[in-house]
Short mmCIF file of all heavy atoms in Angstrom, two decimals:
data_model
loop_
_atom_site.label_atom_id
_atom_site.label_comp_id
_atom_site.label_asym_id
_atom_site.label_seq_id
_atom_site.Cartn_x
_atom_site.Cartn_y
_atom_site.Cartn_z
N VAL A 22 -0.67 12.42 9.81
CA VAL A 22 -0.14 12.62 8.46
C VAL A 22 -0.65 11.53 7.52
O VAL A 22 -1.11 11.80 6.41
CB VAL A 22 1.41 12.67 8.46
CG1 VAL A 22 1.97 12.56 7.05
CG2 VAL A 22 1.90 13.92 9.13
N ILE A 23 -0.60 10.28 7.97
CA ILE A 23 -1.04 9.16 7.13
C ILE A 23 -2.54 9.22 6.90
O ILE A 23 -3.02 9.03 5.78
CB ILE A 23 -0.62 7.82 7.75
CG1 ILE A 23 0.91 7.71 7.76
CG2 ILE A 23 -1.24 6.65 7.00
CD1 ILE A 23 1.46 6.55 8.57
N SER A 24 -3.31 9.52 7.94
CA SER A 24 -4.77 9.59 7.82
C SER A 24 -5.22 10.70 6.88
O SER A 24 -6.26 10.58 6.23
CB SER A 24 -5.41 9.79 9.19
OG SER A 24 -5.18 8.69 10.01
N ASP A 25 -4.45 11.79 6.83
CA ASP A 25 -4.82 12.92 5.99
C ASP A 25 -4.49 12.72 4.51
O ASP A 25 -4.89 13.53 3.67
CB ASP A 25 -4.14 14.20 6.49
CG ASP A 25 -4.72 14.70 7.80
OD1 ASP A 25 -5.83 14.25 8.19
OD2 ASP A 25 -4.07 15.53 8.46
N LEU A 26 -3.77 11.64 4.19
CA LEU A 26 -3.44 11.37 2.79
C LEU A 26 -4.68 10.91 2.03
O LEU A 26 -5.60 10.33 2.61
CB LEU A 26 -2.38 10.26 2.71
CG LEU A 26 -1.00 10.57 3.28
CD1 LEU A 26 -0.15 9.30 3.28
CD2 LEU A 26 -0.32 11.68 2.49
N SER A 27 -4.67 11.12 0.73
CA SER A 27 -5.75 10.60 -0.11
C SER A 27 -5.70 9.08 -0.10
O SER A 27 -4.68 8.47 0.28
CB SER A 27 -5.59 11.11 -1.54
OG SER A 27 -4.44 10.50 -2.14
N ASP A 28 -6.78 8.45 -0.52
CA ASP A 28 -6.81 6.99 -0.57
C ASP A 28 -5.71 6.45 -1.47
O ASP A 28 -5.03 5.48 -1.12
CB ASP A 28 -8.18 6.49 -1.06
CG ASP A 28 -9.28 6.65 -0.02
OD1 ASP A 28 -8.97 6.97 1.15
OD2 ASP A 28 -10.45 6.46 -0.39
N ASP A 29 -5.49 7.08 -2.63
CA ASP A 29 -4.44 6.62 -3.55
C ASP A 29 -3.06 6.75 -2.92
O ASP A 29 -2.20 5.87 -3.09
CB ASP A 29 -4.48 7.41 -4.86
CG ASP A 29 -5.57 6.95 -5.79
OD1 ASP A 29 -6.04 5.80 -5.64
OD2 ASP A 29 -5.96 7.73 -6.68
N ALA A 30 -2.83 7.83 -2.18
CA ALA A 30 -1.54 8.01 -1.52
C ALA A 30 -1.35 6.97 -0.43
O ALA A 30 -0.25 6.42 -0.26
CB ALA A 30 -1.44 9.42 -0.94
N GLN A 31 -2.41 6.65 0.32
CA GLN A 31 -2.33 5.60 1.34
C GLN A 31 -2.04 4.25 0.71
O GLN A 31 -1.22 3.47 1.23
CB GLN A 31 -3.62 5.53 2.15
CG GLN A 31 -3.83 6.70 3.07
CD GLN A 31 -5.12 6.60 3.88
OE1 GLN A 31 -5.77 5.57 3.92
NE2 GLN A 31 -5.48 7.69 4.54
N VAL A 32 -2.65 3.97 -0.43
CA VAL A 32 -2.40 2.72 -1.13
C VAL A 32 -0.94 2.65 -1.57
O VAL A 32 -0.28 1.62 -1.39
CB VAL A 32 -3.35 2.57 -2.34
CG1 VAL A 32 -2.90 1.44 -3.27
CG2 VAL A 32 -4.78 2.33 -1.86
N ASP A 33 -0.41 3.73 -2.11
CA ASP A 33 1.00 3.76 -2.51
C ASP A 33 1.92 3.54 -1.32
O ASP A 33 2.93 2.82 -1.42
CB ASP A 33 1.36 5.09 -3.18
CG ASP A 33 0.92 5.16 -4.63
OD1 ASP A 33 0.40 4.15 -5.16
OD2 ASP A 33 1.08 6.24 -5.25
N LEU A 34 1.59 4.13 -0.18
CA LEU A 34 2.41 3.98 1.01
C LEU A 34 2.43 2.52 1.48
O LEU A 34 3.49 1.97 1.79
CB LEU A 34 1.89 4.90 2.11
CG LEU A 34 2.83 5.27 3.24
CD1 LEU A 34 4.09 5.95 2.69
CD2 LEU A 34 2.14 6.18 4.23
N VAL A 35 1.27 1.89 1.51
CA VAL A 35 1.20 0.47 1.90
C VAL A 35 1.97 -0.38 0.88
O VAL A 35 2.73 -1.27 1.25
CB VAL A 35 -0.26 -0.01 2.03
CG1 VAL A 35 -0.34 -1.52 2.17
CG2 VAL A 35 -0.94 0.68 3.22
N ALA A 36 1.78 -0.09 -0.39
CA ALA A 36 2.49 -0.86 -1.43
C ALA A 36 4.00 -0.70 -1.29
O ALA A 36 4.74 -1.68 -1.43
CB ALA A 36 2.03 -0.41 -2.82
N LEU A 37 4.47 0.50 -0.99
CA LEU A 37 5.91 0.71 -0.78
C LEU A 37 6.41 -0.10 0.41
O LEU A 37 7.48 -0.69 0.36
CB LEU A 37 6.21 2.19 -0.55
CG LEU A 37 6.35 3.05 -1.78
CD1 LEU A 37 6.44 4.53 -1.39
CD2 LEU A 37 7.57 2.65 -2.60
N MET A 38 5.62 -0.10 1.49
CA MET A 38 6.03 -0.86 2.66
C MET A 38 6.11 -2.35 2.33
O MET A 38 7.06 -3.02 2.68
CB MET A 38 5.05 -0.64 3.83
CG MET A 38 5.66 -1.08 5.13
SD MET A 38 4.77 -2.16 6.26
CE MET A 38 3.27 -2.63 5.61
N TRP A 39 5.10 -2.85 1.62
CA TRP A 39 5.12 -4.27 1.23
C TRP A 39 6.27 -4.56 0.29
O TRP A 39 6.90 -5.61 0.38
CB TRP A 39 3.79 -4.66 0.59
CG TRP A 39 2.64 -4.73 1.55
CD1 TRP A 39 2.69 -4.64 2.91
CD2 TRP A 39 1.28 -4.93 1.21
NE1 TRP A 39 1.42 -4.76 3.43
CE2 TRP A 39 0.53 -4.94 2.42
CE3 TRP A 39 0.59 -5.09 0.02
CZ2 TRP A 39 -0.85 -5.11 2.45
CZ3 TRP A 39 -0.78 -5.25 0.05
CH2 TRP A 39 -1.49 -5.27 1.26
N LEU A 40 6.53 -3.65 -0.63
CA LEU A 40 7.63 -3.83 -1.58
C LEU A 40 8.94 -3.98 -0.83
O LEU A 40 9.74 -4.87 -1.13
CB LEU A 40 7.69 -2.62 -2.52
CG LEU A 40 8.36 -2.79 -3.86
CD1 LEU A 40 7.51 -3.66 -4.78
CD2 LEU A 40 8.58 -1.43 -4.51
N GLY A 41 9.16 -3.13 0.18
CA GLY A 41 10.39 -3.19 0.96
C GLY A 41 10.42 -4.32 1.96
O GLY A 41 11.47 -4.86 2.28
N ARG A 42 9.27 -4.71 2.47
CA ARG A 42 9.21 -5.75 3.50
C ARG A 42 9.40 -7.14 2.90
O ARG A 42 10.06 -7.99 3.47
CB ARG A 42 7.84 -5.67 4.20
CG ARG A 42 7.63 -6.73 5.26
CD ARG A 42 6.21 -6.76 5.74
NE ARG A 42 5.35 -7.29 4.68
CZ ARG A 42 4.03 -7.30 4.74
NH1 ARG A 42 3.41 -6.77 5.76
NH2 ARG A 42 3.33 -7.80 3.75
N ASP A 43 8.79 -7.36 1.76
CA ASP A 43 8.76 -8.71 1.20
C ASP A 43 9.78 -8.96 0.11
O ASP A 43 9.75 -10.01 -0.53
CB ASP A 43 7.34 -9.01 0.69
CG ASP A 43 6.32 -9.04 1.83
OD1 ASP A 43 6.71 -9.35 2.97
OD2 ASP A 43 5.15 -8.74 1.57
N GLY A 44 10.66 -8.01 -0.13
CA GLY A 44 11.74 -8.23 -1.08
C GLY A 44 11.31 -8.26 -2.53
O GLY A 44 11.95 -8.90 -3.36
N TYR A 45 10.25 -7.57 -2.86
CA TYR A 45 9.84 -7.46 -4.26
C TYR A 45 10.82 -6.59 -5.03
O TYR A 45 11.67 -5.93 -4.44
CB TYR A 45 8.45 -6.82 -4.37
CG TYR A 45 7.31 -7.66 -3.85
CD1 TYR A 45 6.68 -7.35 -2.66
CD2 TYR A 45 6.85 -8.76 -4.58
CE1 TYR A 45 5.61 -8.10 -2.19
CE2 TYR A 45 5.78 -9.52 -4.12
CZ TYR A 45 5.17 -9.18 -2.92
OH TYR A 45 4.12 -9.92 -2.47
N THR A 46 10.68 -6.57 -6.33
CA THR A 46 11.49 -5.69 -7.17
C THR A 46 10.57 -4.67 -7.84
O THR A 46 9.35 -4.78 -7.75
CB THR A 46 12.23 -6.48 -8.26
OG1 THR A 46 11.28 -7.08 -9.13
CG2 THR A 46 13.14 -7.54 -7.64
N ALA A 47 11.16 -3.72 -8.50
CA ALA A 47 10.39 -2.67 -9.18
C ALA A 47 9.40 -3.26 -10.18
O ALA A 47 8.31 -2.73 -10.37
CB ALA A 47 11.32 -1.69 -9.87
N SER A 48 9.75 -4.37 -10.79
CA SER A 48 8.85 -4.97 -11.78
C SER A 48 7.57 -5.52 -11.14
O SER A 48 6.59 -5.78 -11.83
CB SER A 48 9.57 -6.07 -12.57
OG SER A 48 9.96 -7.11 -11.70
N ASP A 49 7.58 -5.69 -9.82
CA ASP A 49 6.40 -6.18 -9.10
C ASP A 49 5.47 -5.05 -8.67
O ASP A 49 4.41 -5.32 -8.08
CB ASP A 49 6.84 -6.95 -7.84
CG ASP A 49 7.68 -8.16 -8.16
OD1 ASP A 49 7.34 -8.90 -9.10
OD2 ASP A 49 8.71 -8.35 -7.47
N TRP A 50 5.85 -3.79 -8.90
CA TRP A 50 5.11 -2.65 -8.38
C TRP A 50 3.61 -2.72 -8.70
O TRP A 50 2.77 -2.54 -7.81
CB TRP A 50 5.69 -1.34 -8.88
CG TRP A 50 4.84 -0.16 -8.48
CD1 TRP A 50 4.03 0.57 -9.28
CD2 TRP A 50 4.69 0.37 -7.16
NE1 TRP A 50 3.39 1.54 -8.55
CE2 TRP A 50 3.77 1.44 -7.24
CE3 TRP A 50 5.24 0.06 -5.92
CZ2 TRP A 50 3.39 2.19 -6.14
CZ3 TRP A 50 4.86 0.80 -4.82
CH2 TRP A 50 3.95 1.86 -4.93
N ALA A 51 3.25 -2.94 -9.95
CA ALA A 51 1.83 -2.92 -10.34
C ALA A 51 1.04 -3.97 -9.57
O ALA A 51 -0.07 -3.68 -9.09
CB ALA A 51 1.69 -3.12 -11.84
N ASP A 52 1.59 -5.17 -9.43
CA ASP A 52 0.88 -6.23 -8.69
C ASP A 52 0.77 -5.90 -7.21
O ASP A 52 -0.30 -6.08 -6.61
CB ASP A 52 1.60 -7.57 -8.86
CG ASP A 52 1.51 -8.10 -10.27
OD1 ASP A 52 0.56 -7.74 -11.00
OD2 ASP A 52 2.40 -8.89 -10.65
N VAL A 53 1.85 -5.42 -6.62
CA VAL A 53 1.85 -5.09 -5.19
C VAL A 53 0.89 -3.93 -4.92
O VAL A 53 0.12 -3.95 -3.96
CB VAL A 53 3.27 -4.76 -4.69
CG1 VAL A 53 3.25 -4.27 -3.25
CG2 VAL A 53 4.17 -5.98 -4.82
N ARG A 54 0.90 -2.95 -5.80
CA ARG A 54 -0.01 -1.81 -5.63
C ARG A 54 -1.46 -2.26 -5.75
O ARG A 54 -2.33 -1.80 -5.01
CB ARG A 54 0.28 -0.70 -6.62
CG ARG A 54 -0.48 0.57 -6.22
CD ARG A 54 -0.40 1.69 -7.22
NE ARG A 54 -0.98 2.90 -6.67
CZ ARG A 54 -2.28 3.08 -6.47
NH1 ARG A 54 -3.15 2.14 -6.75
NH2 ARG A 54 -2.74 4.22 -5.98
N GLN A 55 -1.74 -3.15 -6.67
CA GLN A 55 -3.11 -3.65 -6.82
C GLN A 55 -3.55 -4.40 -5.57
O GLN A 55 -4.67 -4.26 -5.11
CB GLN A 55 -3.24 -4.54 -8.06
CG GLN A 55 -4.66 -5.00 -8.32
CD GLN A 55 -5.63 -3.83 -8.52
OE1 GLN A 55 -5.39 -2.95 -9.34
NE2 GLN A 55 -6.71 -3.81 -7.75
N GLN A 56 -2.65 -5.20 -5.01
CA GLN A 56 -2.97 -5.91 -3.76
C GLN A 56 -3.25 -4.92 -2.64
O GLN A 56 -4.17 -5.11 -1.85
CB GLN A 56 -1.81 -6.83 -3.36
CG GLN A 56 -1.61 -8.02 -4.27
CD GLN A 56 -0.33 -8.77 -3.94
OE1 GLN A 56 0.21 -8.65 -2.85
NE2 GLN A 56 0.15 -9.54 -4.91
N ALA A 57 -2.46 -3.86 -2.57
CA ALA A 57 -2.67 -2.83 -1.54
C ALA A 57 -3.99 -2.11 -1.75
O ALA A 57 -4.71 -1.81 -0.79
CB ALA A 57 -1.50 -1.84 -1.53
N ALA A 58 -4.34 -1.85 -3.00
CA ALA A 58 -5.62 -1.21 -3.31
C ALA A 58 -6.79 -2.11 -2.91
O ALA A 58 -7.79 -1.64 -2.35
CB ALA A 58 -5.70 -0.85 -4.79
N ASP A 59 -6.65 -3.40 -3.18
CA ASP A 59 -7.70 -4.35 -2.81
C ASP A 59 -7.88 -4.45 -1.30
O ASP A 59 -8.98 -4.68 -0.80
CB ASP A 59 -7.40 -5.74 -3.38
CG ASP A 59 -7.48 -5.78 -4.90
OD1 ASP A 59 -8.05 -4.84 -5.51
OD2 ASP A 59 -6.94 -6.74 -5.49
N ALA A 60 -6.80 -4.29 -0.56
CA ALA A 60 -6.83 -4.42 0.89
C ALA A 60 -7.11 -3.10 1.61
O ALA A 60 -7.29 -3.09 2.82
CB ALA A 60 -5.49 -4.99 1.39
N HIS A 61 -7.17 -2.00 0.88
CA HIS A 61 -7.31 -0.68 1.51
C HIS A 61 -8.59 -0.58 2.33
O HIS A 61 -9.64 -1.06 1.93
CB HIS A 61 -7.29 0.42 0.45
CG HIS A 61 -7.34 1.78 1.04
ND1 HIS A 61 -8.51 2.49 1.14
CD2 HIS A 61 -6.38 2.55 1.59
CE1 HIS A 61 -8.27 3.65 1.72
NE2 HIS A 61 -6.98 3.71 1.99
N ASN A 62 -8.44 0.05 3.51
CA ASN A 62 -9.59 0.29 4.38
C ASN A 62 -9.31 1.54 5.22
O ASN A 62 -8.32 2.23 4.99
CB ASN A 62 -9.88 -0.93 5.27
CG ASN A 62 -8.69 -1.31 6.13
OD1 ASN A 62 -8.08 -0.46 6.76
ND2 ASN A 62 -8.37 -2.59 6.16
N GLU A 63 -10.14 1.80 6.18
CA GLU A 63 -10.03 3.01 7.00
C GLU A 63 -8.99 2.90 8.11
O GLU A 63 -8.82 3.83 8.89
CB GLU A 63 -11.40 3.35 7.60
CG GLU A 63 -12.46 3.65 6.57
CD GLU A 63 -12.10 4.83 5.67
OE1 GLU A 63 -11.61 5.86 6.19
OE2 GLU A 63 -12.29 4.71 4.45
N ARG A 64 -8.31 1.78 8.22
CA ARG A 64 -7.34 1.57 9.30
C ARG A 64 -5.89 1.61 8.81
O ARG A 64 -5.00 1.07 9.46
CB ARG A 64 -7.64 0.23 9.99
CG ARG A 64 -9.00 0.19 10.65
CD ARG A 64 -9.29 -1.14 11.34
NE ARG A 64 -9.07 -2.32 10.53
CZ ARG A 64 -9.95 -2.85 9.67
NH1 ARG A 64 -11.11 -2.29 9.51
NH2 ARG A 64 -9.67 -3.93 8.99
N THR A 65 -5.66 2.27 7.70
CA THR A 65 -4.31 2.30 7.12
C THR A 65 -3.28 2.89 8.08
O THR A 65 -2.19 2.33 8.25
CB THR A 65 -4.31 3.07 5.80
OG1 THR A 65 -5.22 2.44 4.89
CG2 THR A 65 -2.93 3.11 5.17
N ALA A 66 -3.61 4.00 8.71
CA ALA A 66 -2.64 4.65 9.62
C ALA A 66 -2.29 3.72 10.78
O ALA A 66 -1.11 3.56 11.11
CB ALA A 66 -3.19 5.97 10.13
N ALA A 67 -3.29 3.10 11.38
CA ALA A 67 -3.03 2.18 12.50
C ALA A 67 -2.22 0.98 12.03
O ALA A 67 -1.31 0.52 12.72
CB ALA A 67 -4.35 1.72 13.13
N TYR A 68 -2.54 0.48 10.85
CA TYR A 68 -1.81 -0.67 10.29
C TYR A 68 -0.33 -0.32 10.10
O TYR A 68 0.56 -1.06 10.53
CB TYR A 68 -2.44 -1.10 8.97
CG TYR A 68 -1.62 -2.10 8.20
CD1 TYR A 68 -1.45 -3.40 8.66
CD2 TYR A 68 -1.00 -1.75 7.00
CE1 TYR A 68 -0.68 -4.32 7.96
CE2 TYR A 68 -0.24 -2.66 6.30
CZ TYR A 68 -0.08 -3.94 6.79
OH TYR A 68 0.69 -4.85 6.08
#
């Protein structure tokens, strides 16, 4: 399911996980999403 997502959807999923894991707030979304986009690779599902 994760592998079949578009790159943007995978980035959003990673950003959501980081948002919840690291205690960010909604106002941090743009920064967290950008960090996830910068880190995106072909191993998102395994990660």
Side-chain angles (χ1 to χ4, degrees):
V22 167
I23 295 170
S24 295
D25 289 344
L26 295 172
S27 69
D28 287 350
D29 282 339
Q31 289 181 12
V32 167
D33 281 356
L34 201 58
V35 170
L37 277 171
M38 196 230 3
W39 289 352
L40 202 71
R42 178 190 70 188
D43 295 332
Y45 291 107
T46 64
S48 63
D49 299 316
W50 173 254
D52 292 335
V53 173
R54 191 187 189 289
Q55 185 59 53
Q56 291 172 20
D59 293 343
H61 183 262
N62 58 47
E63 298 300 317
R64 297 180 309 276
T65 301
Y68 169 69

